Amino acid sequence: DVKVTQSSRYLVKRTGEKVFLECVQDMDHENMFWYRQDPGLGLRLIYFSYDVKMKEKGDIPEGYSVSREKKERFSLILESASTNQTSMYLCASRAGQGVYEQYFGPGTRLTVT
Amino acid sequence: AQSVAQPEDQVNVAEGNPLTVKCTYSVSGNPYLFWYVQYPNRGLQFLLKYITGDNLVKGSYGFEAEFNKSQTSFHLKKPSALVSDSALYFCAVRLLSGNTPLVFGKGTRLSVIA
């Protein structure tokens, strides 16, 4: 079974802090994604990556950056956390370009105070 | 651009009754369509997908979905609901061509009442 793990289930940070959210997948998937989930807004794509060192902006990249130095790891970085970034963050991975489903991690619930 | 609409925020159904969770989509090409389920404090789990071929797709936990190209819909169905089906359901779409990410709807909360 595909396993996508996220470094923390719950995280509390202060405004202005730099925050790192880590995601690791164990199935050698080329594609990795970061979404945020907010009530009434569904899942919104922040960034995605097709390959190591490659990144593409999603629908809401402002205030975020990403890093993919190794194929299995995709990090989401909040350069200076703000209260409006309090949310559930979901990482996903997917194999190749074909008809494959995305596999999701358990999520990180981030609270910025 | 791709988009997905789930017109109902909440669906309530009695246990044992059939359930339908609605989804319509908009893409400029042939779509891949997916349904995911999210249980409390969990990530999203894949339920089923439509690629091509038979319009009725069967998936996990007794769920199925019907693709209707003329109505651009992909409604999720189950003949007999269980209390354990209560969860948040997401419809998603991506283009058949190219390596594009999934675009998700806003989700529908299903509540099955005993």
Side-chain angles (χ1 to χ4, degrees):
Chain A
D1 280 351
V2 175
K3 193 167 184 182
V4 180
T5 57
Q6 295 183 229
S7 51
S8 305
R9 291 299 304 273
Y10 301 94
L11 208 54
V12 180
K13 295 291 182 181
R14 294 192 182 276
T15 302
E17 280 193 82
K18 191 169 186 175
V19 182
F20 293 86
L21 302 182
E22 306 286 339
C23 175
V24 177
Q25 50 94 3
D26 66 356
M27 284 300 292
D28 202 37
H29 284 172
E30 288 84 356
N31 305 295
M32 296 188 75
F33 309 86
W34 275 107
Y35 293 86
R36 66 176 279 177
Q37 181 181 5
D38 300 288
L41 297 177
L43 274 73
R44 293 179 292 167
L45 183 66
I46 305 172
Y47 268 97
F48 58 104
S49 170
Y50 293 137
D51 202 349
V52 176
K53 296 191 186 296
M54 303 289 287
K55 61 184 179 183
E56 297 280 345
K57 292 181 180 179
D59 299 317
I60 51 164
E62 296 79 17
Y64 303 95
S65 62
V66 290
S67 173
R68 193 164 181 205
E69 296 296 319
K70 293 185 177 181
K71 192 174 186 180
E72 67 271 18
R73 188 180 297 269
F74 192 36
S75 302
L76 180 70
I77 303 154
L78 287 66
E79 295 291 342
S80 177
S82 63
T83 55
N84 63 13
Q85 293 178 309
T86 291
S87 186
M88 170 70 89
Y89 289 88
L90 293 167
C91 176
S93 72
R94 188 182 77 211
Q97 295 193 23
V99 188
Y100 303 110
E101 53 268 33
Q102 289 178 195
Y103 292 88
F104 283 83
T108 296
R109 186 166 294 281
L110 173 67
T111 302
V112 182
T113 61
Chain B
Q2 303 132 256
S3 66
V4 174
Q6 293 182 242
E8 301 154 318
D9 293 334
Q10 173 97 26
V11 170
N12 298 319
V13 64
E15 187 175 31
N17 283 2
L19 70 88
T20 299
V21 182
K22 296 180 181 176
C23 171
T24 59
Y25 66 91
S26 173
V27 294
S28 55
N30 291 317
Y32 290 150
L33 292 156
F34 298 78
W35 276 102
Y36 283 81
V37 60
Q38 185 181 37
Y39 298 102
N41 299 314
R42 304 282 293 276
L44 274 68
Q45 291 179 233
F46 169 75
L47 273 181
L48 52 79
K49 66 185 175 187
Y50 171 82
I51 309 162
T52 186
D54 193 350
N55 289 342
L56 187 64
V57 179
K58 294 189 184 296
S60 306
Y61 312 122
F63 283 93
E64 57 191 26
E66 187 168 12
F67 172 67
N68 187 317
K69 189 172 184 178
S70 62
Q71 296 185 2
T72 62
S73 67
F74 189 56
H75 301 331
L76 182 70
K77 301 181 180 185
K78 188 173 182 181
S80 178
L82 300 172
V83 171
S84 57
D85 293 330
S86 299
L88 190 55
Y89 290 81
F90 289 96
C91 183
V93 66
R94 61 177 279 238
L95 282 174
L96 203 64
S97 60
N99 193 11
T100 55
L102 283 178
V103 173
F104 285 85
K106 294 183 179 182
T108 298
R109 186 164 298 282
L110 173 68
S111 182
V112 181
I113 304 156

